[in-house]
Amino acid sequence: MRTAVIKDLLHHQPDNNNTDNCITHQIREVTLTIKRTINSIYEIFVSKENNHKNTLIESYVMSFQKTFLIPSKLSHGNETPSQPAVTRLFSPSSNVHLLVRYLPESIQNFTPQFNPGPFVEVADVRELLKKWISEIKHLLEEEFPKILSTVKTQIELVSIRSKVWALLDADENVKGKKNNKWQHNTEQLLGTSYSVWENLYRTIFNNRAKLIIDEQLEELVNQPHTLVWPAIIDSKENTLRKGFSVTVNIWPDPTTTKYFNAFSLPNLSSSKEIQAFKSALTETVYDRTNILGRLQKAFDDKLEQIRKDIQEHMNIPNVDNDHFQSITDAEAIKEYFQDRCYASVLDFCEGLNVLMKQVSAESWMDQKSKNYVIIFLGRFARNIGILSKELPRSITVSTILPETASMLKLHSNLNQDSKFIEIQEHLLSIFHKAHDPWLSFLTEKFTAALKQTLISTKWNDQCSAIQIWEGNMVYLKGKKITNEKAHIRKPCFIIFRCR
């Protein structure tokens, strides 16, 4: 019966409009059902409080052996039972006691004979209880993650977890308490104290926290395809987006009256505008166009959102009184986030590489446009590695240093995290790789132009280079060769291919 109740509670779908309260209510009901079941088992099969000689189940059996009456809770341990068993089978409004009164005396005085066999031992109850708890644990591991799947942020998860802690605090917090009924009952039944949070809920909540990290970082990994590519290419018309530019347009467009400035002059009375002006000057060096700036901001904003969500686990109210291993769990979740963030940024880089290959394979785009788009993607990678403020913070989430101090430490090139340095190098390698098609394109154009020039140019001795050549001594292998003996009449052209 208790198992069926827990199943019904777990199968109930929470209301999407009020997920937090609904899930908290489900956990509360499941937890109370488990606790009350264990406490009831203790009171029936084990407890001999108030100097009782027998347990409650033993008292019931002994009472049935003497009379067809059930002892009430108040008469437990006394010889005189008080409540007819038959009245438990009908509603009080049925006046069952009147029916019993007019039955034959032999029936009224009938005493059943029981042969219960050996006494119930605590070890027998313990074995059955452990089996039941194991079934409930398996049920929770199977069903509860489905309920928590509606929780999409760490803030919501921590809020639900805090309410569970508040429900369990009186039982789980045994430090400094001599008389704790829950711990006493579980020690008598199971042989050791039992923590509902540690055994049933902790792993489920921590796994959900990690899954939320994976889901959020998956959005970051997909940005090259969901944000970068649509910002550059108009897929419907198979053309570059209007306004796309590889570099900052400082000079005015001769075809329009509009001026595309890299930055605007600040208001001298606004410190915020002055700071923004200084930042714009710095970013202009890295050709941070409007599209590039918007994409960089989307990358930083997503990382900042995830990092601040993760730091909700670090806000532990009472560090010195940690009953639920919250410090250990917070550290584990932080390390998991840092590792997954590192792997996700590498996947992000791979997404940029895929886009560069995709641009090279586009048939509708001329080579010059392809080179511009690929260089743009390379600059995007470089600017993230150099200018991103959230990337170093996310790779090395700090629970001690404030954000500003941590940022200064990371950008000072002192004690930088090895993973952050590796990511920077990976992003810069994409930047350098993005210039290979452009260099090859220039080399081919220069080679073709030079070849055409040599073929189309008529040679004559009036060439100034020949006159200078023949007017000087030529040394070949250490021997002096005069003009009369010189057989070289035309210069030898060597074409170097520079990369």
Side-chain angles (χ1 to χ4, degrees):
M1 181 63 72
R2 304 294 178 94
T3 304
V5 171
I6 293 175
K7 285 183 178 179
D8 291 340
L9 289 170
L10 293 175
H11 290 158
H12 175 71
Q13 295 297 327
D15 184 4
N16 293 330
N17 297 326
N18 197 6
T19 303
D20 192 330
N21 292 335
C22 188
I23 294 177
T24 303
H25 176 73
Q26 284 179 279
I27 297 175
R28 181 180 182 277
E29 294 302 314
V30 170
T31 304
L32 291 178
T33 302
I34 295 171
K35 290 175 61 177
R36 287 169 180 170
T37 299
I38 294 176
N39 285 331
S40 297
I41 292 173
Y42 171 78
E43 291 176 357
I44 293 173
F45 294 96
V46 179
S47 176
K48 293 183 180 180
E49 297 178 1
N50 300 324
N51 298 322
H52 294 161
K53 295 180 180 180
N54 303 312
T55 62
L56 187 60
I57 188 66
E58 292 172 346
S59 177
Y60 272 42
V61 172
M62 293 175 64
S63 176
F64 274 127
Q65 288 177 335
K66 296 179 180 179
T67 180
F68 199 54
L69 296 175
I70 296 177
S72 66
K73 186 176 182 181
L74 296 177
S75 64
H76 172 46
N78 297 330
E79 296 293 333
T80 306
S82 61
Q83 188 176 6
V86 71
T87 59
R88 290 286 187 92
L89 303 177
F90 299 92
S91 170
S93 61
S94 301
N95 294 325
V96 178
H97 63 283
L98 297 178
L99 297 175
V100 174
R101 179 184 301 175
Y102 295 104
L103 288 174
E105 186 176 351
S106 59
I107 296 178
Q108 292 187 43
N109 296 330
F110 171 75
T111 302
Q113 297 295 323
F114 291 95
N115 185 20
F119 288 99
V120 178
E121 299 291 340
V122 176
D124 301 326
V125 179
R126 178 177 301 163
E127 192 66 26
L128 293 173
L129 180 58
K130 286 183 177 180
K131 183 179 178 181
W132 182 78
I133 292 176
S134 179
E135 293 176 359
I136 297 301
K137 183 178 181 180
H138 178 74
L139 184 62
L140 286 173
E141 290 173 346
E142 184 178 337
E143 299 294 336
F144 202 63
K146 299 176 185 177
I147 297 175
L148 288 182
S149 63
T150 58
V151 179
K152 299 300 182 181
T153 65
Q154 305 290 348
I155 295 177
E156 294 178 11
L157 187 68
V158 170
S159 175
I160 295 172
R161 188 185 67 177
S162 298
K163 294 175 182 178
V164 175
W165 285 354
L167 177 64
L168 298 173
D169 185 63
D171 295 329
E172 306 279 330
N173 180 13
V174 297
K175 188 175 182 180
K177 291 185 178 180
K178 296 181 179 180
N179 298 321
N180 186 293
K181 184 178 180 180
W182 168 257
Q183 296 301 332
H184 175 267
N185 292 354
T186 54
E187 285 176 1
Q188 293 293 318
L189 275 173
L190 301 174
T192 182
S193 59
Y194 186 83
S195 170
V196 174
W197 168 256
E198 179 71 25
N199 292 279
L200 299 182
Y201 293 130
R202 183 184 179 189
T203 301
I204 297 175
F205 271 86
N206 289 342
N207 288 343
R208 181 56 196 164
K210 294 175 181 178
L211 282 175
I212 291 175
I213 293 173
D214 293 339
E215 292 171 0
Q216 292 175 333
L217 287 175
E218 186 67 21
E219 297 179 15
L220 184 75
V221 172
N222 292 332
Q223 278 192 357
H225 301 284
T226 59
L227 293 180
V228 178
W229 183 254
I232 301 174
I233 306 297
D234 187 344
S235 58
K236 293 183 179 179
E237 300 181 4
N238 277 347
T239 57
L240 293 175
R241 290 280 184 187
K242 293 182 179 180
F244 171 78
S245 176
V246 182
T247 186
V248 177
N249 295 316
I250 298 178
W251 303 109
D253 187 342
T255 61
T256 65
T257 58
K258 295 181 179 179
Y259 287 77
F260 297 93
N261 296 325
F263 41 77
S264 58
L265 294 177
N267 186 344
L268 295 179
S269 62
S270 174
S271 59
K272 185 177 181 180
E273 290 187 17
I274 293 174
Q275 186 61 36
F277 175 72
K278 291 180 179 179
S279 300
L281 286 176
T282 303
E283 293 168 356
T284 301
V285 178
Y286 297 99
D287 281 325
R288 184 170 176 175
T289 61
N290 291 335
I291 297 178
L292 195 59
R294 188 167 66 250
L295 294 176
Q296 286 178 234
K297 186 176 185 300
F299 179 88
D300 272 9
D301 287 349
K302 189 60 184 178
L303 262 187
E304 181 183 16
Q305 173 194 341
I306 301 173
R307 177 181 59 81
K308 288 185 176 180
D309 198 30
I310 288 296
Q311 287 182 330
E312 189 69 20
H313 287 277
M314 318 304 171
N315 299 328
I316 302 171
N318 192 352
V319 178
D320 298 329
N321 197 20
D322 183 21
H323 315 304
F324 300 99
Q325 297 81 36
S326 56
I327 298 176
T328 303
D329 290 346
E331 187 66 25
I333 292 171
K334 184 196 78 170
E335 291 178 359
Y336 181 83
F337 167 68
Q338 290 176 167
D339 293 339
R340 291 299 303 142
C341 183
Y342 165 77
S344 297
V345 176
L346 292 182
D347 291 341
F348 179 90
C349 295
E350 183 58 30
L352 293 180
N353 283 325
V354 171
L355 289 188
M356 291 166 63
K357 294 177 182 179
Q358 186 175 341
V359 170
S360 300
E362 292 291 350
S363 58
W364 58 267
M365 198 182 305
D366 60 272
Q367 189 59 45
K368 185 177 180 181
S369 298
K370 291 180 181 180
N371 293 339
Y372 284 165
V373 173
I374 293 175
I375 289 175
F376 176 88
L377 294 174
R379 289 179 178 175
F380 178 46
R382 176 198 61 182
N383 288 8
I384 289 178
I386 296 176
L387 299 178
S388 175
K389 296 179 180 179
E390 284 302 322
L391 183 57
R393 290 174 181 169
S394 299
I395 295 297
T396 56
V397 178
S398 176
T399 56
I400 302 174
L401 294 173
E403 290 186 6
T404 53
S406 178
M407 192 66 192
L408 291 173
K409 180 180 178 181
L410 287 168
H411 278 294
S412 64
N413 292 327
L414 296 175
N415 299 323
Q416 281 189 336
D417 187 84
S418 59
K419 291 182 179 179
F420 173 68
I421 296 175
E422 184 179 346
I423 286 177
Q424 268 192 327
E425 293 175 351
H426 204 81
L427 290 167
L428 291 177
S429 70
I430 295 176
F431 170 70
H432 295 303
K433 180 182 176 181
H435 289 76
D436 287 347
W438 175 71
L439 291 172
S440 299
F441 176 75
L442 289 182
T443 302
E444 292 174 2
K445 294 284 288 185
F446 175 76
T447 302
L450 181 58
K451 182 178 180 180
Q452 183 64 29
T453 300
L454 293 177
I455 293 173
S456 61
T457 301
K458 184 178 181 180
W459 191 265
N460 57 71
D461 289 339
Q462 299 300 319
C463 178
S464 59
I466 292 296
Q467 294 177 1
I468 295 175
W469 179 274
E470 294 181 345
N472 295 282
M473 293 293 182
V474 178
Y475 290 86
L476 184 60
K477 294 184 179 180
K479 296 181 180 180
K480 184 176 182 182
I481 303 176
T482 60
N483 289 339
E484 291 78 8
K485 295 182 179 180
H487 298 286
I488 302 177
R489 292 298 179 182
K490 295 182 180 180
C492 180
F493 291 94
I494 301 176
I495 301 175
F496 294 95
R497 183 176 181 181
C498 301
R499 293 185 65 82

